[in-house]
Amino acid sequence: MIILEAKKLTKSFGGLMAVADVSVTVNSGELVGLIGPNGAGKTTLFNMLSGYYKPTTGEVYFRGQDITKLKVFETSDLGIARTFQIVKPFGKMTVLDNVMVGAFAKTGHKKEARDKALEVLDFVGLFNAKDNLAESMTLGGKKRIELARALATEPELLLLDEVVAGLNPSEVKGVIEIIRKICKDKRVTIVMVEHVMQAIMALSDRIIVMNSGRKIAEGTPEEVANNPEVIQAYLGRGMTKSARG
Amino acid sequence: MLRRLRYPSYFLPFLFLLILGLLPFIINNEYILQVFIMFLFNAYLASGWNIISGFAGQLSLGHAAFVGIGAYTSTILFVQWGISPWIGMIFGGVIAAIFGWLIGYPVFKLRGPYYALATIAYGEIIRIFIQNTKAVGPIELKGAEGILIPFKGSSPALFQFETKAAYYYVALAMFLLVLLLSYKIKNSKMGYYLSAIGNDQDAAESLGVNTSKMKLTASAISAFVMALGGTFYAQFLLYINPQGVLSGDFSTEIAVIGIIGGEGTVFGPVLGSLILTPLSELTRIYLGGRFAGVHLLAYGLILMAVVTHIPHGVIGTFSKLYHRILLKLGDPVVSAKTGAGKTL
Ligand SMILES: Nc1ncnc2c1ncn2[C@@H]1O[C@H](COP(=O)(O)OP(=O)(O)O)[C@@H](O)[C@H]1O
Ligand SMILES: [Mg+2]
């Protein structure tokens, strides 16, 4: 079953085509990786899928419903959650309170929200940090907060924008395991942008490659890794090493 | 419940409440009682301001506008049509709430300092308008001259009392109600959403928070609370004028009390008022009209000290102290909960 369908999305900023004519289909239960060099348009695409940007042209359908013109909080109500590449924690609130804001999406009761938040904090390994102020957490901690908050809204589709980037190797392993569990155990459909190839190759059922605003390849991790155009795109930017993991 | 009063964490607040309740019997000096009334009143206003500016982090420097709307609405209804200020109070609240909602539409599109500047602008526009308008149709605003409220002797139904003690109890009731309201909001879904908005609007939206609607709602509630305060002010002083109840100084004073106490907390505005009210009242007594506004200078200095040394307001320091006192008294409830203790 198709959960998300983006049709010929284009976004231009003045003269710059950040995303050009990109169509994407995501099936329910799938974990799709989205890769491409810096500036390829991945975040801009995410911003259109979640309602932050209105596309210049094209449409977005979520479970068959046209959501192109919806506001961000409306896409959230429908079941789309996202994390931010540049983390946006509620700095002056505790870790627990951050996650409770997410949990309130599904309940009006403080106690239920708290229970839900504690459960999610346990799941992402932040339980012991629950009383810390979010601003006092390390980058790794803040990325987990992003993940926990999004998860607490009980989404059907989760858009992860570089949740692994910037973490140390042991943290990377932990977060990969969490993402795998979210998809396989909690049955949440995931689209993830990631530069860390180890994470993308290990997790993705399917990979979409973007370059200069366009989709240049799509397929299984092996297919994509051997695609000459993909190698060329990364070679051009001197990123061969990381592209091959 | 009664058995729990053995615990310091229950009986201390109860004790404070008891003292507040009996104060007019303890103090028989009218002037000191007046200072306490102003303490309650300022705490009330700063708490109302806190709902939008503290909880939701939208710094308003024009909140006197709402106090003025309340004061003028109930006063005009009373003076011109004989409607009891108790009823006028509700009218004023509703009009202010609608105004707070409507003004929110354009103003909440602005962020950070631009929002604060816009609040100064509408506060001033309303003051200048009333200052220069004698009447709108049948409604007599009386411009800069202000409106005198006739004193009809002791008539509680008309919000008029002979003793300061009676005004004290009205102020106390309003003070307790606004604290209850703040506490309820703070501990509800709305409180969490407002807090999220104050921290990061984009992130809040991504979690399903309708940020525009939340801010408009908070602004309307805040305006309602301010307007009720305006009616109290009018009935207490029996005179209102634009240079007083609508002044920019008044708006600033309300905000400074909230900020010094600790914005975004339930009891911060109370502490802010506890520190600043005696200061402004004392300067008023000892310097009289000679140096009007000198208390604002003192406010400014205290504000500077607070924002540079304790950026989250006095409440943080006070919470720690209070927590330590409770521990010293061997409170079992507090000792059971480890950790630094939550900000009140
Ligand atoms: N709000 C914006 N205004 C102008 N240009 C933007 C904006 N957002 C992104 N861009 C530009 O669009 C291009 C794609 O950016 P982005 O989507 O962030 O890429 P990626 O996430 O793949 O690194 C870049 O050239 C970037 O500078
Ligand atoms: Mg990006």
Side-chain angles (χ1 to χ4, degrees):
Chain A
M1 198 194 88
I2 294 171
I3 186 165
L4 181 78
E5 194 174 11
K7 290 184 185 167
K8 293 179 173 288
L9 287 179
T10 296
K11 180 74 189 177
S12 47
F13 295 109
L16 176 88
M17 288 276 247
V19 171
D21 205 24
V22 171
S23 295
V24 175
T25 306
V26 179
N27 297 309
S28 198
E30 225 183 351
L31 199 158
V32 177
L34 178 59
I35 63 171
N38 269 325
K42 306 178 298 291
T43 298
T44 305
L45 180 63
F46 263 27
N47 283 336
M48 287 190 282
L49 298 180
S50 54
Y52 276 86
Y53 292 160
K54 301 298 162 232
T56 310
T57 59
E59 293 116 45
V60 185
Y61 293 86
F62 180 68
R63 285 194 273 119
Q65 181 186 349
D66 185 353
I67 61 163
T68 319
K69 298 211 162 60
L70 293 193
K71 301 225 170 70
V72 179
F73 74 89
E74 291 169 325
T75 67
S76 166
D77 286 347
L78 288 176
I80 301 176
R82 69 168 295 178
T83 66
F84 294 91
Q85 177 180 353
I86 297 161
V87 291
K88 295 176 181 290
F90 303 131
K92 303 270 183 266
M93 296 167 75
T94 65
V95 172
L96 174 62
D97 287 350
N98 266 262
V99 183
M100 280 175 73
V101 173
F104 273 118
K106 285 286 186 306
T107 175
H109 297 287
K110 190 180 172 188
K111 174 151 192 326
E112 281 171 23
R114 190 184 148 86
D115 290 346
K116 175 75 199 175
L118 288 172
E119 178 199 316
V120 175
L121 282 173
D122 191 38
F123 180 77
V124 302
L126 278 180
F127 191 88
N128 291 326
K130 66 183 192 316
D131 295 323
N132 296 355
L133 280 187
E135 65 183 5
S136 73
M137 301 291 284
T138 60
L139 180 64
K142 285 175 183 156
K143 294 220 165 182
R144 278 172 201 250
I145 293 174
E146 289 268 331
L147 197 56
R149 258 183 349 196
L151 215 51
T153 66
E154 299 185 355
E156 287 177 39
L157 173 67
L158 191 52
L159 307 173
L160 303 176
D161 199 351
E162 305 204 16
V163 280
V164 183
L167 305 191
N168 67 42
S170 73
E171 287 177 318
V172 168
K173 271 181 115 177
V175 174
I176 288 178
E177 222 22 70
I178 291 166
I179 295 172
R180 192 197 305 279
K181 277 200 237 162
I182 295 171
C183 185
K184 304 304 169 209
D185 300 350
K186 293 186 187 279
R187 314 288 317 148
V188 177
T189 309
I190 294 176
V191 181
M192 64 182 291
V193 169
E194 200 48 72
H195 280 304
V196 181
M197 285 302 149
Q198 176 201 356
I200 279 284
M201 290 295 166
L203 287 167
S204 308
D205 298 317
R206 189 156 58 93
I207 293 177
I208 294 167
V209 190
M210 286 180 71
N211 191 23
S212 310
R214 298 189 174 276
K215 182 163 94 175
I216 59 166
E218 183 169 0
T220 62
E222 295 73 42
E223 285 168 359
V224 163
N226 295 319
N227 183 315
E229 211 180 329
V230 175
I231 295 170
Q232 180 57 39
Y234 276 94
L235 263 177
R237 306 270 184 139
M239 283 180 70
T240 336
K241 202 160 153 264
S242 62
R244 287 194 180 144
Chain B
M1 179 64 211
L2 274 179
R3 300 186 66 213
R4 285 203 184 147
L5 283 178
R6 284 178 302 153
Y7 305 149
S9 58
Y10 284 84
F11 83 61
L12 274 185
F14 186 76
L15 194 70
F16 288 130
L17 215 58
L18 201 69
I19 293 174
L20 278 180
L22 296 176
L23 209 70
F25 297 97
I26 304 167
I27 293 168
N28 43 24
N29 178 324
E30 287 265 301
Y31 201 83
I32 295 181
L33 198 56
Q34 160 124 356
V35 175
F36 274 98
I37 293 172
M38 290 317 287
F39 153 69
L40 293 173
F41 178 63
N42 285 335
Y44 173 89
L45 292 182
S47 296
W49 169 89
N50 193 41
I51 292 170
I52 184 69
S53 295
F55 290 171
Q58 309 295 310
L59 176 64
S60 165
L61 295 172
H63 253 47
F66 303 119
V67 183
I69 289 174
Y72 270 88
T73 303
S74 63
T75 299
I76 289 170
L77 286 176
F78 179 51
V79 174
Q80 284 188 243
W81 288 286
I83 296 169
S84 163
W86 291 112
I87 296 168
M89 195 179 201
I90 304 298
F91 272 104
V94 171
I95 291 173
I98 293 170
F99 183 77
W101 183 282
L102 291 179
I103 197 86
Y105 268 99
V107 171
F108 283 131
K109 294 213 169 23
L110 306 169
R111 291 194 181 184
Y114 299 103
Y115 170 79
L117 287 175
T119 62
I120 295 177
Y122 69 64
E124 283 300 281
I125 288 169
I126 291 181
R127 178 184 62 78
I128 292 166
F129 170 75
I130 295 190
Q131 205 162 316
N132 294 292
T133 309
K134 288 274 175 219
V136 180
I139 302 167
E140 290 182 32
L141 294 169
K142 300 218 163 149
E145 176 194 332
I147 306 177
L148 266 171
I149 301 168
F151 185 60
K152 314 244 173 187
S154 179
S155 42
L158 294 178
F159 208 131
Q160 294 198 344
F161 311 97
E162 235 150 8
T163 63
K164 281 246 156 69
Y167 283 103
Y168 174 88
Y169 283 114
V170 174
L172 180 61
M174 290 174 74
F175 165 84
L176 292 176
L177 283 175
V178 83
L179 285 187
L180 184 69
L181 177 71
S182 293
Y183 181 83
K184 287 280 182 204
I185 292 178
K186 183 80 187 163
N187 286 286
S188 70
K189 177 169 173 171
M190 183 180 182
Y192 278 78
Y193 276 13
L194 292 178
S195 218
I197 289 169
N199 277 271
D200 193 304
Q201 300 208 35
D202 285 337
E205 284 263 327
S206 81
L207 299 173
V209 180
N210 184 345
T211 56
S212 315
K213 189 177 132 198
M214 270 296 142
K215 285 190 287 185
L216 290 174
T217 308
S219 171
I221 295 174
S222 177
F224 183 86
V225 170
M226 302 314 283
L228 302 196
T231 298
F232 176 85
Y233 177 95
Q235 293 305 116
F236 185 54
L237 298 179
L238 296 173
Y239 172 65
I240 54 171
N241 66 345
Q243 300 91 316
V245 74
L246 281 165
S247 74
D249 283 358
F250 191 26
S251 286
T252 308
E253 214 172 322
I254 295 165
V256 170
I257 290 171
I259 294 168
I260 288 177
E263 348 164 34
T265 62
V266 174
F267 292 101
V270 180
L271 283 182
S273 176
L274 194 62
I275 294 169
L276 295 184
T277 305
L279 201 72
S280 76
E281 292 303 311
L282 286 177
T283 50
R284 234 166 251 165
I285 305 172
Y286 291 111
L287 299 174
R290 273 182 302 153
F291 301 101
V294 74
H295 67 287
L296 286 178
L297 191 70
Y299 278 27
L301 292 173
I302 295 179
L303 184 64
M304 271 161 62
V306 167
V307 294
T308 50
H309 293 286
I310 33 173
H312 304 307
V314 186
I315 187 83
T317 317
F318 176 82
S319 288
K320 278 191 207 121
L321 195 72
Y322 183 68
H323 193 79
R324 225 178 288 156
I325 292 171
L326 288 179
L327 278 177
K328 273 258 163 66
L329 293 172
D331 186 83
V333 186
V334 175
S335 325
K337 293 183 204 152
T338 47
K342 272 191 106 148
T343 303
L344 295 166

